[in-house]
Every structure is written in structure tokens, then in C-alpha cells.
Amino acid sequence: MQTPKIDQNQLSPLAFQTIYTDDDQLLLHGQLSDETVTKQTLEHPIFEQCVFENMTLTDNNFFRAEVNDVIFKNCDLSNCQFEKAGFYRVQLINCKLVGTTFDKAFIKEVQFDQCNLNLANLNEAKLTKVTFQASRLTEINCMETTLKQVKFTQSDLNNADLTNTNLHRLDLSTCQFNAIRVQPFDIRGCRVNAEQALYFANQFLELRID
């Protein structure tokens, strides 16, 4: 997986509000920190080669955003709308994305590390080379989503809805869940641990296991 192409030594301090004065709604080559930006609507904003740290960016609508070569660290992006957005070479570290929507987004070479994505939406999104590491994904909606070279590692998927999402070759064995919504044909070729195998056997085969 490629990491964001950023030379952090070349970044200049940047305020989020500068995006409103740019004709292309572009934030470029900037270090943004310790700001609060909420309930804003920006159609097709572009974030490129930036580092966002300790930012509160809740309840914003960033429809069709382009997010390229960006790092989010200790940020709160809860309830943001990234519908039809494009994320490429992005790292999110210890970020909160509760209820955040990525429906129909294109997400490639992206790492979620120790993030909280509870109640997030990734319906009909296309994920390629995406890693969820030690993250909380309870009650996420990930229906009819395309997953290619996606890794869920030591993450909480309890009550996640993966209906009509092909999990072939996906490894869930290090994750935890008491319940998960999937179709039986979508878990063919999925790697699970013994406890998870018993769960699926009970769900789909109605076996009684003593």
C-alpha cells in the first residue's frame, strides 16, 4: 500500500477558511491544526498534500470531494457527507468518523488506523487496497460495496451490515463480532476463526452445536 506523498517539511500553516477564497475550492500543501469547522457545504472541494491534525470537522457536506495524499490525525469527522468522494493515498489515524457517509465513494490506498467508524455508511462504495486496523466499525452499513485487497485487522464489526457485499478472500479472523449481516453466498472463500465459523453455521445451516 502506498502512503501519502507528502513532504511535511515543506508544508506551510494553513487555515481551513482559505478554501472559500480559492476559485477551485482547493487546500494544497498545508498544515491545518486545532480548528473547528462545522455545518458547512462544499461541493467538490479538493484537499491535496495536506496534514489535518486535531481538527473538528463535524456535520459538513463535502459532496464529491477529492482527497489526495492527505493525513488526518486525531480529527473528528463525525456525520460528514463524503458521498461520491474520491480518496487516494490517505491515512486516518485515531480519528472519529461516527455516522460519516462514504456512499458511492472511490477509496484507494487508504488506511484507517485506530479509528471510530461506528454507524458509518459505505454503501455502493468501491474500496481498493484499504486497511482497517484496530478500528471500531460497529453497525456500519457496507451494502453492495466492492472490496478489493481490503484488510480488516483486529477491528470490531459487531452488527455490521455487509449485505450483498462479496467477502471472497477477505480475512475476518482477527476481528470480533457477536452478530453480522451477510448473505450466505457472499462469505464463500472468506477466512474466519473457529468461533466465527460456528456463528455462521448456526445462522445459515441452523445447526445445533454443543
Side-chain angles (χ1 to χ4, degrees):
M1 178 181 295
Q2 298 186 56
T3 57
K5 295 182 178 179
I6 307 173
D7 184 350
Q8 297 192 42
N9 295 322
Q10 299 297 318
L11 299 181
S12 301
L14 190 63
F16 189 92
Q17 65 183 9
T18 60
I19 199 169
Y20 301 109
T21 61
D22 187 277
D23 291 339
D24 296 320
Q25 297 189 119
L26 170 66
L27 289 177
L28 178 65
H29 298 152
Q31 175 81 47
L32 298 92
S33 60
D34 302 298
E35 288 187 77
T36 297
V37 179
T38 63
K39 298 181 180 179
Q40 301 297 304
T41 297
L42 291 168
E43 183 168 344
H44 196 202
I46 301 171
F47 310 142
E48 190 166 322
Q49 294 187 325
C50 289
V51 174
F52 294 79
E53 189 166 3
N54 301 320
M55 296 282 288
T56 298
L57 300 168
T58 55
D59 298 292
N60 294 302
N61 188 346
F62 297 138
F63 179 71
R64 293 178 58 239
E66 291 185 34
V67 186
N68 303 315
D69 296 306
V70 169
I71 296 173
F72 294 94
K73 188 174 182 180
N74 303 323
C75 292
D76 189 349
L77 296 109
S78 296
N79 296 315
C80 280
Q81 298 288 327
F82 287 104
E83 186 175 355
K84 295 185 178 180
F87 280 65
Y88 185 45
R89 290 193 301 264
V90 177
Q91 287 183 335
L92 297 102
I93 304 167
N94 193 35
C95 289
K96 186 177 180 181
L97 302 107
V98 175
T100 299
T101 293
F102 298 93
D103 289 348
K104 298 182 180 180
F106 293 84
I107 303 173
K108 185 175 181 180
E109 304 277 7
V110 174
Q111 180 178 359
F112 296 88
D113 189 354
Q114 301 180 71
C115 291
N116 183 350
L117 291 105
N118 292 349
L119 300 170
N121 299 292
L122 295 101
N123 302 306
E124 299 181 63
K126 294 185 178 181
L127 280 62
T128 302
K129 296 183 179 179
V130 175
T131 298
F132 297 91
Q133 169 69 37
S135 292
R136 298 169 61 187
L137 300 138
T138 64
E139 298 188 60
I140 64 164
N141 293 303
C142 194
M143 296 179 285
E144 299 184 23
T145 300
T146 301
L147 306 178
K148 295 182 179 179
Q149 300 182 57
V150 173
K151 295 181 180 180
F152 292 94
T153 306
Q154 298 177 334
S155 293
D156 186 350
L157 284 161
N158 197 41
N159 289 320
D161 192 341
L162 299 165
T163 303
N164 294 327
T165 293
N166 191 336
L167 307 181
H168 182 64
R169 295 184 179 178
L170 200 68
D171 186 348
L172 300 179
S173 63
T174 66
C175 296
Q176 61 182 9
F177 56 83
N178 295 321
I180 192 169
R181 289 185 291 280
V182 296
Q183 296 294 329
F185 49 82
D186 283 329
I187 62 171
R188 293 174 181 171
C190 179
R191 184 174 182 177
V192 297
N193 60 37
E195 183 178 354
Q196 293 164 350
L198 291 175
Y199 169 79
F200 287 125
N202 179 263
Q203 284 289 108
F204 300 125
L205 302 177
E206 298 183 1
L207 297 177
R208 296 182 63 183
I209 302 171
D210 295 327

